[in-house]
Amino acid sequence: MTAVLPPRADERRSRAGFARLLRAEWTKFRTVRGWVIGTVAAAVVTVLIGLFGTAGPTLNHPPDAIPKGPGGLAVNDSFYFVHQPLQGDGSITVPVTALTGIVGMGPDERPGVEPWAKAGIIVKDGLRPGSAYTAIMVTGHHGVRMQHDYVHDTAAPRAVASARWLRLVRSGDTITGYGSADGARWTRVGSARLPGLASTVQAGAFVASPMSITADAHGASFDPAVATATFGQVALGGHWTPGAWKGEQVGRAGTSGSYTDTLHGGFTRTGAGLTVTGAGDIAPVVGGPALGTGYTIENLLVGAFAGILVMAVVGALFVSAEYRRGLIGLTFAASPRRGRVLAAKALVIGSVAFVTGLVAAAVAIPLATARARGHGFFILPVSGWTEVRVVAGTALLFAVASVLALALATLIRRGAAAVTIIVAVLVLPYVLASGALLPDGPSGWLLRATPAAGFAIQQTVIRYPQVDTVYSPSSGYFPLPPWAGFAVLCAFTAVALGAAAHLLRRRDA
């Protein structure tokens, strides 16, 4: 007569059995020298390629060319500023009567206003590049906008989208922007709070113009651009420091596409108003080495694709070697429920790969950063949480790619064939897209529809509507958000793992 265990006892027995399987698979992994060497090699190659990738000629910008904004992100903060100190609360009102511009230099110079050229009024917490600000402005082709702290952009309501009268009102650390078509009836555009705003700020008129970008068959071409705005009479309210307007270039050209680092704009008095010329931009930095803007953190982890490939080989061999040597029968004899053996193998190889990727990323970033800075490059700063996501995301890439290779090798029982598939669907699409070996259109689809989409988890490049640049894989931009791209890789892995488990269950039957 067969004894029937109580449900809880059966559950404990099942857990104990799976724990034994885990220990057995872990013991098997750590006692095979080739698998351990492969794991170490995956970490080493990730670090070495990252170090090699930071070699090259020095950029034209000093390491401190890019300031940090209030949120810790890399920002452009270069413009011509005609300002006076404002003490405490107050307001500034001015009409923008004209906005013109020039694109190109020398024989290629031509009239034109860059779409995101900006002319308006700004309240800024000092003149240090990267300091907090709120501005309302007329743009080249995007109507009236209110922006603050570099990453925030608000379009004016339709009623004042083409208005030319602008007003900013400060009340404590809150700045409110208004627009008007006639200077009499005003419409609120938006409000921004700048925590910790100093009691005395700099406020006045400003002009900036980022580079002009023209799409072509090979991607895009970049031309310097400059803008000139004519302001009517400025009306001030509140406690302003008496004295004449002072004109000053804030920041360098940096990566903002200013005319040149030597162009500092200027201003003249025009009757009761001002005429101001300026170049540069007030916006977040978008890009990497391909756009001449230093290294992003993911650039320092460029070797991850090679490390992942090595770990995929280890993951495939973790099961295919047993098929090849005829040992798989012994493995399954230890647990007739073959799906549990697969789960134990996946958990072991996934955990080992995760730790490998985590160590590799944690070592590669500081070493590659030091090397890059030693060669005169700069590293685009990101927030602490973003850096944690990139490091942990790299570890997750290692883990999931290894489990995918394990599942494929289980399905086809051939490690070489499984690794070939991994190269075809994960590594090759990433190399073709990020290396600009394919046009932007096909590259974008490869990084949406293949497991290579998972590399988006490393991305720090953000697409901002108020920043025109080349948003393509070759410039470091992935078409899917970080976790969405990673979800694509996870979906492929789940399907492969589910198919492998189903096949093993059929064999159980």
Side-chain angles (χ1 to χ4, degrees):
M1 183 175 181
T2 303
V4 179
L5 293 174
R8 289 186 179 179
D10 188 58
E11 183 180 345
R12 286 194 298 269
R13 182 177 178 181
S14 177
R15 287 200 299 266
F18 187 70
R20 285 194 296 270
L21 276 177
L22 279 177
R23 285 195 298 270
E25 293 301 327
W26 165 241
T27 301
K28 188 184 304 179
F29 181 90
R30 64 183 177 83
T31 54
V32 177
R33 182 178 301 176
W35 297 345
V36 175
I37 292 175
T39 300
V40 174
V44 171
V45 74
T46 299
V47 175
L48 290 181
I49 294 179
L51 288 173
F52 179 77
T54 56
T58 302
L59 293 178
N60 294 325
H61 311 297
D64 60 349
I66 299 184
K68 291 184 180 180
L73 299 178
V75 299
N76 288 310
D77 196 8
S78 58
F79 58 98
Y80 198 82
F81 191 16
V82 182
H83 59 93
Q84 289 187 30
L86 167 62
Q87 298 176 341
D89 297 343
S91 66
I92 177 171
T93 304
V94 66
V96 182
T97 59
L99 177 60
T100 60
I102 297 174
V103 176
M105 295 182 68
D108 297 325
E109 184 176 293
R110 60 193 183 277
V113 180
E114 206 283 328
W116 278 109
K118 304 169 182 178
I121 49 179
I122 184 171
V123 171
K124 189 168 175 63
D125 193 8
L127 301 177
R128 177 185 60 83
S131 57
Y133 77 95
T134 297
I136 189 167
M137 67 205 70
V138 172
T139 63
H141 297 290
H142 296 283
V144 172
R145 319 289 291 201
M146 182 172 173
Q147 298 178 353
H148 73 279
D149 285 356
Y150 308 94
V151 298
H152 303 287
D153 171 69
T154 301
R158 182 176 301 179
V160 291
S162 58
R164 292 287 174 163
W165 283 81
L166 307 174
R167 174 179 290 169
L168 287 177
V169 178
R170 177 188 181 179
S171 177
D173 58 6
T174 299
I175 314 295
T176 305
Y178 300 86
S180 173
D182 55 11
R185 293 170 296 180
W186 293 88
T187 298
R188 182 180 180 276
V189 175
S191 184
R193 182 175 177 270
L194 308 181
L197 188 63
S199 59
T200 299
V201 296
Q202 297 295 325
F206 79 98
V207 173
S209 180
M211 72 182 87
S212 177
I213 302 176
T214 304
D216 55 37
H218 303 287
S221 60
F222 301 85
D223 292 305
V226 64
T228 299
T230 302
F231 297 89
Q233 184 173 358
V234 181
L236 305 176
H239 303 286
W240 293 77
T241 301
W245 290 101
K246 180 180 180 181
E248 189 168 353
Q249 174 70 30
V250 173
R252 298 167 49 88
T255 64
S256 58
S258 294
Y259 225 48
T260 67
D261 276 352
T262 60
L263 175 65
H264 296 302
F267 84 104
T268 58
R269 298 300 299 261
T270 307
L274 305 166
T275 297
V276 183
T277 297
D281 202 5
I282 315 172
V285 169
V286 176
L291 299 177
T293 55
Y295 285 111
T296 60
I297 289 182
E298 58 264 42
N299 296 142
L300 308 180
L301 295 172
V302 66
F305 81 91
I308 288 169
L309 179 58
V310 175
M311 278 308 307
V313 173
V314 175
L317 291 176
F318 193 34
V319 65
S320 66
E322 297 188 32
Y323 280 114
R324 187 176 66 252
R325 296 174 183 175
L327 301 176
I328 196 71
L330 296 176
T331 298
F332 287 141
S335 175
R337 295 173 63 180
R338 299 180 177 188
R340 297 181 67 189
V341 175
L342 179 63
K345 284 183 174 292
L347 192 56
V348 168
I349 192 62
S351 299
V352 169
F354 180 86
V355 173
T356 302
L358 193 66
V359 171
V363 172
I365 289 177
L367 290 182
T369 296
R371 178 177 172 83
R373 288 175 174 165
H375 283 77
F377 290 82
F378 50 77
I379 309 300
L380 299 182
V382 296
S383 67
W385 283 113
T386 298
E387 186 167 353
V388 168
R389 187 255 297 164
V390 172
V391 172
T394 300
L396 288 170
L397 274 176
F398 272 68
V400 177
S402 300
V403 173
L404 175 60
L406 174 79
L408 291 172
T410 303
L411 283 169
I412 58 183
R413 300 189 177 192
R414 294 291 185 273
V419 172
T420 300
I421 294 173
I422 288 291
V423 171
V425 303
L426 180 63
V427 177
L428 186 60
Y430 170 76
V431 173
L432 291 175
S434 62
L437 300 177
L438 290 176
D440 290 343
S443 293
W445 280 109
L446 279 178
L447 296 181
R448 288 186 182 94
T450 70
F455 283 95
I457 193 68
Q458 295 181 312
Q459 176 172 247
T460 62
V461 177
I462 301 173
R463 184 165 193 158
Y464 294 98
Q466 72 272 29
V467 180
D468 282 336
T469 189
V470 179
Y471 292 101
S472 68
S474 61
S475 63
Y477 178 76
F478 283 73
L480 294 178
W483 291 106
F486 181 66
V488 173
L489 172 60
C490 290
F492 275 96
T493 302
V495 169
L497 200 60
H502 176 71
L503 179 63
L504 290 177
R505 281 196 296 270
R506 289 184 59 187
R507 290 171 185 165
D508 285 341

